[in-house]
């Protein structure tokens, strides 16, 4: 009713309630405090007797009724017993003075229980998916620091705060939470309870001798910012996993201050920002303005001597050269090794030095299969592609070791950048 206090109305109703059924789904994700209050109000010993039934829908159990006999909402047998008790038990509705349907036949009870079972089954989640499930999508560490040390970092002079933070976190910080995946980053099977930061840093140092702990310095700087309620600066200081090649960038995502425990907690997640699926091709390609190439749009292959091409490749320190047309569209990729082999064969065939100097790309292309090989030894991707796309293109052909970048990934578009197979394993 509008007007009167809701809790007062509920208390009056619960005082007079003969039977109360609590439908309990999952403990997490829901606030059960009001339901528990209602059950407590109905079951108060100072009120008239109330039959309290817990209909348990999942394995989660309401804590106040952990020792009580509950009805399994998924069990047809339990629902038959509940239905029979509801209809034939003389105490189920205390103020009724008797059973609701004392002479009901068992067949009627079974049919009613079956209908209830089918109705519940239609709305309850599958057994495997019924529980709330959650997990961290990235490795993480929850680092705990005594509040005294956190305040010491906060109150330190700016000039010395960075050094002070690293010293205090190393000596006083502990890991209070972190999954198996995080332990694997450091080459550990698991993290011991309250694993010390000093021990974690020692393990990492042993597995990466000579490496600077730049990732740890970044963690400390971010923790210092968190202690001061500032936005942390996420630097490109990566942690390479102990038994792999993946690199993870630490980022502070949450800070908690627990006054009663006199500690502060800092959640650091480690993100793999170098995953080929996430790295845009434009960040790794060599812009076309910086590419050593040959434009044969006006002269054709006959306008480039092989001797001059080898001299140019030696001068710029390259082992291959792209050939483009007047519109800067990729035509071929010529490798020095093939030119060397071609000229060596000519020398063995008795070609004079003068004739050797006159050999051009046209002569090279005249060799059976060579022009087709130079045409098919590269692939093309668009500007929106990632390094994973580049790898996929290279994997399509055994001899594809070069990829050109154009606006939309078509061969008839001007080249905007170039990547080689070497670029996929090195950073510019």
């Amino acid at each position: 009713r509008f007007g009167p206090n809701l809790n007062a109305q509920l208390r009056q109703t619960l005082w007079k309630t003969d039977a109360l059924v609590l439908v309990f789904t999952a403990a997490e994700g829901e606030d059960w405090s009001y339901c528990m209050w209602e059950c407590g109000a109905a079951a108060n010993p100072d009120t008239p007797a109330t039959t309290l039934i817990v209909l348990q829908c999942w394995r989660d159990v309401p804590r106040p009724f952990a020792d009580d006999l509950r009805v399994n909402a998924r069990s047809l047998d339990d629902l038959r017993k509940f239905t029979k008790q509801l209809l034939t038990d003389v105490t189920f509705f205390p103020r009724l003075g008797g059973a609701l349907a004392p002479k009901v036949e068992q067949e009627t009870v079974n049919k009613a229980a079956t209908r209830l079972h089918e109705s519940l089954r239609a709305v309850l989640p599958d057994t495997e998916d019924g529980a709330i499930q959650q997990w961290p999508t990235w490795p993480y560490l929850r680092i705990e620091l005594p509040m005294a040390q956190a305040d010491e970092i906060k109150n330190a002079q700016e000039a010395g705060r960075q050094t002070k933070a690293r010293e205090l976190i190393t000596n006083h910080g502990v890991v209070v939470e972190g999954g198996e995946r995080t332990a694997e980053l450091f080459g550990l099977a698991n993290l011991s309870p309250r694993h010390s930061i000093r021990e974690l840093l020692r393990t990492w140092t042993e597995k990466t001798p000579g490496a600077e702990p730049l990732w740890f310095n970044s963690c400390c700087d971010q923790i210092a910012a968190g202690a001061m309620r500032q936005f942390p600066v996420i630097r490109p200081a990566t942690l390479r996993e102990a038994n792999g090649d993946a690199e993870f960038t630490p980022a502070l995502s949450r800070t908690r201050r627990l006054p009663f425990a006199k500690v502060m907690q800092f959640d650091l997640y480690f993100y793999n920002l170098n995953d080929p699926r996430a790295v845009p091709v434009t960040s790794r390609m060599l812009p076309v303005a910086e590419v050593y190439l040959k434009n044969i749009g006006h002269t054709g292959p006959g306008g480039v001597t092989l001797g001059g091409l080898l001299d140019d490749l030696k001068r710029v320190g390259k082992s291959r050269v792209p050939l483009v047309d007047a519109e800067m569209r990729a035509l071929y990729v010529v490798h020095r090794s093939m030119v060397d082999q071609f000229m060596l064969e000519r020398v063995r065939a008795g070609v004079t030095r003068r004739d050797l100097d006159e050999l051009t790309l046209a002569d090279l292309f005249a060799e059976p299969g060579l022009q087709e090989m130079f045409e098919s030894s590269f692939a093309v991707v668009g500007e929106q592609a990632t390094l994973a796309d580049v790898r996929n293109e290279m994997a399509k052909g055994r001899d594809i070791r070069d990829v050109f970048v154009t606006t939309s990934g078509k061969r008839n578009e001007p080249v905007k950048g170039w990547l080689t197979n070497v670029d996929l394993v090195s950073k510019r």
Side-chain angles (χ1 to χ4, degrees):
R1 295 178 55 198
F2 294 108
N5 181 273
L6 176 61
N7 285 346
Q9 293 182 66
L10 278 172
R11 277 194 293 268
Q12 293 173 10
T13 302
L14 292 167
W15 182 282
K16 299 179 293 184
T17 297
D18 278 278
L20 182 67
V21 179
L22 171 65
V23 183
F24 194 81
T25 51
E28 284 193 63
E30 304 291 346
D31 181 5
W32 290 95
S33 57
Y34 217 84
C35 297
M36 293 300 107
W37 176 83
E38 291 176 310
C39 291
N44 190 323
D46 295 332
T47 65
T50 299
T51 300
L52 182 56
I53 302 293
V54 176
L55 197 65
Q56 184 178 332
C57 299
W58 182 242
R59 60 186 172 208
D60 292 348
V61 178
R63 293 181 182 178
F65 305 101
D67 297 328
D68 294 352
L69 188 62
R70 300 172 299 278
V71 179
N72 183 350
R74 298 175 182 273
S75 168
L76 179 58
D77 188 52
D78 270 20
L79 292 175
R80 285 197 190 105
K81 294 176 183 178
F82 167 69
T83 304
K84 185 173 182 179
Q85 182 180 349
L86 170 72
L87 297 175
T88 64
D89 189 345
V90 296
T91 64
F92 198 94
F93 298 98
R95 280 174 289 283
L96 189 61
L100 189 63
K103 297 180 180 181
V104 67
E105 295 180 357
Q106 185 62 40
E107 183 180 356
T108 302
V109 172
N110 292 343
K111 288 181 178 179
T114 299
R115 287 198 302 272
L116 178 58
H117 181 254
E118 292 174 350
S119 299
L120 288 170
R121 188 171 58 181
V123 296
L124 292 179
D126 294 336
T127 303
E128 295 182 356
D129 300 326
I132 293 176
Q133 302 176 33
Q134 59 180 347
W135 55 89
T137 55
W138 292 99
Y140 77 101
L141 291 173
R142 176 166 290 173
I143 295 176
E144 188 173 277
L145 194 64
M147 201 172 291
Q149 277 67 45
D151 289 340
E152 191 173 345
I153 292 173
K154 183 176 66 174
N155 297 327
Q157 294 292 324
E158 184 175 355
R161 183 177 293 117
Q162 192 176 66
T163 302
K164 175 66 70 175
R166 295 171 187 175
E167 174 190 341
L168 293 175
I169 293 168
T170 301
N171 294 330
H172 300 277
V174 294
V175 177
V176 294
E177 195 172 317
E180 292 182 7
R181 186 69 184 92
T182 310
E184 291 174 3
L185 294 185
F186 298 92
L188 299 170
N190 54 62
L191 295 169
S192 61
R194 300 189 67 79
H195 200 108
S196 73
I197 295 298
R198 178 182 290 279
E199 181 64 21
L200 194 66
L201 194 57
R202 184 186 67 80
T203 301
W204 178 84
T205 303
E206 289 177 352
K207 293 185 179 296
T208 55
E212 288 290 327
L214 301 179
W215 65 270
F216 177 70
N217 295 343
S218 177
C219 289
C220 293
D221 294 345
Q222 292 182 60
I223 289 174
M228 300 172 64
R229 299 178 182 271
Q230 296 178 350
F231 291 121
V233 176
I234 301 173
R235 295 187 174 87
T238 58
L239 166 69
R240 182 184 290 272
E241 60 181 336
N243 300 313
D245 296 325
E247 296 182 344
F248 295 83
T249 302
L252 180 68
S253 63
R254 187 184 185 197
T255 301
R256 302 174 69 212
R257 189 176 180 92
L258 286 68
F260 292 102
K262 296 183 178 180
V263 297
M264 287 192 74
Q265 293 179 343
F266 306 87
D267 290 355
L268 284 158
Y269 279 77
F270 292 80
Y271 300 105
N272 183 358
L273 303 180
N274 294 318
D275 190 308
R277 294 167 297 181
V279 180
V281 67
T282 50
S283 70
R284 195 67 65 87
M285 74 179 189
L286 186 66
V288 68
E290 302 176 21
V291 176
Y292 167 70
L293 52 78
K294 287 289 184 179
N295 191 320
I296 61 173
H298 298 295
T299 65
V304 180
T305 64
L306 296 183
L309 181 64
L310 289 176
D311 290 340
D312 288 345
L313 286 172
K314 182 178 180 180
R315 176 176 52 82
V316 298
K318 301 294 182 181
S319 62
R320 63 190 92 171
V321 55
L323 305 182
V324 299
D325 64 12
E327 303 298 325
M328 292 299 292
R329 294 173 295 198
L331 298 175
Y332 314 98
V333 175
V334 175
H335 289 254
R336 177 174 180 170
S337 59
M338 300 303 297
V339 178
D340 286 336
Q341 181 179 337
F342 174 77
M343 296 188 72
L344 179 60
E345 291 174 354
R346 291 297 176 274
V347 170
R348 288 176 174 174
V351 174
T352 64
R353 177 59 184 267
R354 180 176 179 179
D355 291 339
L356 199 65
D357 290 341
E358 293 178 355
L359 290 175
T360 68
L361 283 174
D363 299 310
L364 182 68
F365 288 173
E367 283 293 297
L370 282 188
Q371 183 172 356
E372 291 79 4
M373 183 187 73
F374 296 144
E375 284 179 324
S376 61
S377 65
F378 66 89
V380 179
V381 298
E383 288 181 297
Q384 302 303 315
T386 66
L387 291 189
D389 298 322
V390 171
R391 287 183 174 178
N392 290 337
E393 290 297 322
M394 285 187 173
K396 290 179 180 179
R398 186 181 63 181
D399 296 322
I400 296 179
R401 289 180 284 176
D402 301 88
V403 172
F404 292 106
V405 180
T406 66
T407 301
S408 61
K410 297 178 181 178
R411 285 193 173 222
N412 60 356
E413 296 175 327
V415 171
K416 294 200 167 186
W418 179 36
L419 287 94
T420 70
N421 55 325
V422 177
D423 296 320
L424 292 180
V425 294
S426 63
K427 295 181 180 178
R428 290 199 183 279

